[in-house]
């Protein structure tokens, strides 16, 4: 798998003495993005301890900014903070996955219905561009790029629903299944990646037509299919799991 963290230490440039809050926020955002990608892409096993010293060396940072980023990932549900014992990747049971994906299916289904009532032509055009970017990544077998574009499409549909309560609930649950949503594309028996791409074609078509009920149903089934693939991948022998490159 492609990771945004290099194999050897490439320090993230620290803010200058006169950089101010903007540079510090930018640095924090870059650390958080790269660390989130590293966890989501399965570079640490389910339930595995987060190797803080190794990550500090790879990112070229001290433990203080790393631990600040880990707090955010814990709030997102990707990891668990252990009192005086560091952190570990959150491990989800099959029952956890079933419940979380069902909630996400309901939220995305509602978002699709509401989005069709409020979305602008410009927003549809932006989602179309993301779709074509995602398709290009798919053709090049670039899972990292594909997943990033994929998530932005789903987030854009939720944003177009114009419902802050829905957006907050979605963000809360999305973080908790982001890692397994990524790995579900590796479920080999059902060739999930190609299946998901076809479903996204249907999502875009319904969105263009502002077919609210149709889009709602497609998104619900899309998440149900993702749930099945995630559970399949969870129960596959460990050697079938993706390994870091």
């Amino acid at each position: 798998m492609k990771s945004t963290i290099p194999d050897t230490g490439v320090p993230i440039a620290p803010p200058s003495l006169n950089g101010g809050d903007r540079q510090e926020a930018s640095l924090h955002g870059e650390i958080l993005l790269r660390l989130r990608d590293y966890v989501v892409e399965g570079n640490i096993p389910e339930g595995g301890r987060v190797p803080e010293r190794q990550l500090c060396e790879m990112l070229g940072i001290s433990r203080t900014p790393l631990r600040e980023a880990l707090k955010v990932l814990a709030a997102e549900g990707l990891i668990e903070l252990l009192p005086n014992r560091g952190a570990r990747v959150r491990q989800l049971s099959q029952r956890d996955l079933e419940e979380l994906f069902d909630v996400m299916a309901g939220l995305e289904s509602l978002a699709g219905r509401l989005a069709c009532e409020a979305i602008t032509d410009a927003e549809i055009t932006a989602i179309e561009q993301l779709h074509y970017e995602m398709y290009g990544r798919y053709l090049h077998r670039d899972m990292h790029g594909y997943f990033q574009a994929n998530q932005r499409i789903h987030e854009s549909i939720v944003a177009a629903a114009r419902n802050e309560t829905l957006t907050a609930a979605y963000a809360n649950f999305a973080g908790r299944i982001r890692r397994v949503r990524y790995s579900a594309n590796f479920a080999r028996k059902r060739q999930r990646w190609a299946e998901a791409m076809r479903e996204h074609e249907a999502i875009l078509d319904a969105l263009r037509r502002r077919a609210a009920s149709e889009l709602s149903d497609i998104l619900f089934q899309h998440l149900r299919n993702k749930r099945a693939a995630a559970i399949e991948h969870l129960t596959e022998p460990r050697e079938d799991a993706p390994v870091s490159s």
Side-chain angles (χ1 to χ4, degrees), residues 4 20 50-51 56 64 89 91 136 143 154 173 183-184 221 238 243:
T4 56
V50 175
C56 286
T64 297
V89 173
Q91 190 166 15
M143 176 60 79
H154 285 275
F173 287 104
S183 63
Q221 191 59 49
R238 185 61 201 162
V243 294

Side-chain angles (χ1 to χ4, degrees), residues 127-128 130-136 138-139 146 150 153-154 157 192-209 214-215 218-219 222:
I127 291 173
E128 286 177 335
L130 286 172
H131 176 83
Y132 294 131
E133 175 188 341
M134 180 179 68
Y135 184 58
Y138 167 75
L139 292 177
Y146 168 90
N150 179 293
I153 289 171
H154 285 275
I157 293 173
R192 177 58 201 163
W193 196 358
E195 182 182 73
M197 193 65 237
R198 289 191 294 271
E199 290 167 5
H200 266 272
E201 293 282 357
I203 289 169
L204 180 59
D205 176 64
L207 188 62
R208 284 169 173 157
R209 293 183 286 109
E214 184 179 341
L215 179 58
I218 293 170
L219 284 167
H222 179 62

Side-chain angles (χ1 to χ4, degrees), residues 210-241:
R210 292 177 170 82
S213 295
E214 184 179 341
L215 179 58
S216 177
D217 290 344
I218 293 170
L219 284 167
F220 187 87
Q221 191 59 49
H222 179 62
L223 267 292
R224 270 297 179 88
N225 292 342
K226 180 72 78 171
R227 183 187 78 161
I231 292 171
E232 176 186 305
H233 185 70
L234 177 70
T235 57
E236 284 176 344
R238 185 61 201 162
E239 59 267 25
D240 288 346

